[in-house]
Amino acid sequence: MLLPEELAVLQRSRGRFVRRMLLVAAAGILLALVPTFAYIAAGNSLQHLMGSSAPVTATVEDVRATAATCGKHDRDEYRVEIHWEFDGKTRTDSYETCNDVPKAGDELTVWLTPDGQMKRFSPASEWFALVVIGGMLGLAVWAIGGTCVFSIYWRKRCLFNARGGRLMPGIPVHLRRGPKWIWMRHAAPQFFGTGHAIPASWLLYSDNGTFPRTVFGARIAGAWWLHPVNDYGKPGRRVGLLVRGRTRLWIQYVSG
């Protein structure tokens, strides 16, 4: 049923699966670190993240609305002027905020870095925000990339597991290619239980004796002969071989 070169491609799929999952994991880790790198690249102090900042109590001098707005509800942005005593000297700074706007005379805690930067939030708060954002980015990469890699690997394993089956007689079908699926319409609905177009995902493709590969050209539309694999596949999901001349295309398709 499977040609020797097709079987060889499937046998190598496990090693490729492991390498691709490692690449996905590495990409997820790198992306998870992006918020921290961006935080430092924006001029923020690494010393603050490392816990070298000193907390001081600052007093609010003035609070003014700026011309900017922020948030989904176009809330006003405010510039908060503060001052504090440190090493016997009075120092001033300001920050913009839309939430928890203080009033003149209020006292609040800020953090001073060894290089003189003023930070509104503690190192623990900064780390928490960076870890949450980085973790969400990393998990998104692992979820999307891992799902795609596993889906491709699982389809190949289904074909590998079906290698001991028999090919049934050919059924005339007509293909058209969509953005994600091959859409297959057949002329013999008794084999599938429906006469409508059904989706199919491609597994292996070889054209005129070329070495099998998992990607193929766009010229697959038109008439083919489908040879389903006998007695294999879960209910509603089958494996089959499409043949047109010397072109072979293994697919997994939905069956009613």
Side-chain angles (χ1 to χ4, degrees), residues 33-54 111-119 121-124 126-127 130:
L33 296 175
V34 166
T36 301
F37 293 144
Y39 177 89
I40 298 173
N44 294 290
S45 175
L46 179 60
Q47 294 174 315
H48 180 59
L49 290 179
M50 301 306 295
S52 299
S53 301
W111 279 259
L112 301 181
T113 66
D115 56 7
Q117 293 186 30
M118 184 275 293
K119 297 297 179 183
F121 304 107
S122 68
E126 299 278 17
W127 270 121
L130 292 173

Side-chain angles (χ1 to χ4, degrees), residues 18-215:
V18 174
R19 290 194 297 271
R20 288 170 179 171
M21 287 300 294
L22 289 176
L23 287 175
V24 170
I29 293 173
L30 289 176
L31 192 58
L33 296 175
V34 166
T36 301
F37 293 144
Y39 177 89
I40 298 173
N44 294 290
S45 175
L46 179 60
Q47 294 174 315
H48 180 59
L49 290 179
M50 301 306 295
S52 299
S53 301
V56 297
T57 300
T59 303
V60 177
E61 286 187 357
D62 189 28
V63 180
R64 298 180 183 179
T66 67
T69 58
C70 52
K72 296 181 180 180
H73 303 291
D74 291 334
R75 291 172 297 177
D76 291 333
E77 181 185 75
Y78 294 88
R79 178 182 297 275
V80 181
E81 303 283 347
I82 60 175
H83 73 271
W84 64 90
E85 300 290 333
F86 189 75
D87 290 339
K89 297 180 181 179
T90 300
R91 302 184 182 183
T92 62
D93 208 329
S94 64
Y95 65 87
E96 287 75 35
T97 184
C98 291
N99 300 312
D100 300 326
V101 181
K103 296 179 294 185
D106 287 350
E107 292 187 342
L108 48 85
T109 300
V110 297
W111 279 259
L112 301 181
T113 66
D115 56 7
Q117 293 186 30
M118 184 275 293
K119 297 297 179 183
R120 290 183 56 203
F121 304 107
S122 68
S125 299
E126 299 278 17
W127 270 121
F128 179 78
L130 292 173
V131 168
V132 170
I133 297 173
M136 291 176 64
L137 292 174
L139 287 175
V141 172
W142 293 336
I144 297 173
T147 299
C148 293
V149 172
F150 186 80
S151 175
I152 294 172
Y153 170 75
W154 182 250
R155 293 201 302 266
K156 290 182 181 179
R157 292 302 298 177
C158 288
L159 177 56
F160 181 80
N161 293 337
R163 65 190 184 280
R166 293 185 300 108
L167 291 178
M168 296 174 62
I171 304 167
V173 297
H174 188 277
L175 297 187
R176 65 180 177 86
R177 185 175 180 178
K180 295 183 179 180
W181 301 95
I182 301 169
W183 290 95
M184 181 169 62
R185 187 179 297 275
H186 49 83
Q190 65 271 22
F191 288 96
F192 299 98
T194 175
H196 300 291
I198 57 177
S201 53
W202 53 88
L203 304 176
L204 281 178
Y205 173 78
S206 58
D207 185 18
N208 293 324
T210 59
F211 195 79
R213 54 192 186 275
T214 56
V215 295

Side-chain angles (χ1 to χ4, degrees), residues 214-226:
T214 56
V215 295
F216 50 87
R219 293 180 295 179
I220 64 167
W224 293 73
W225 287 92
L226 171 66

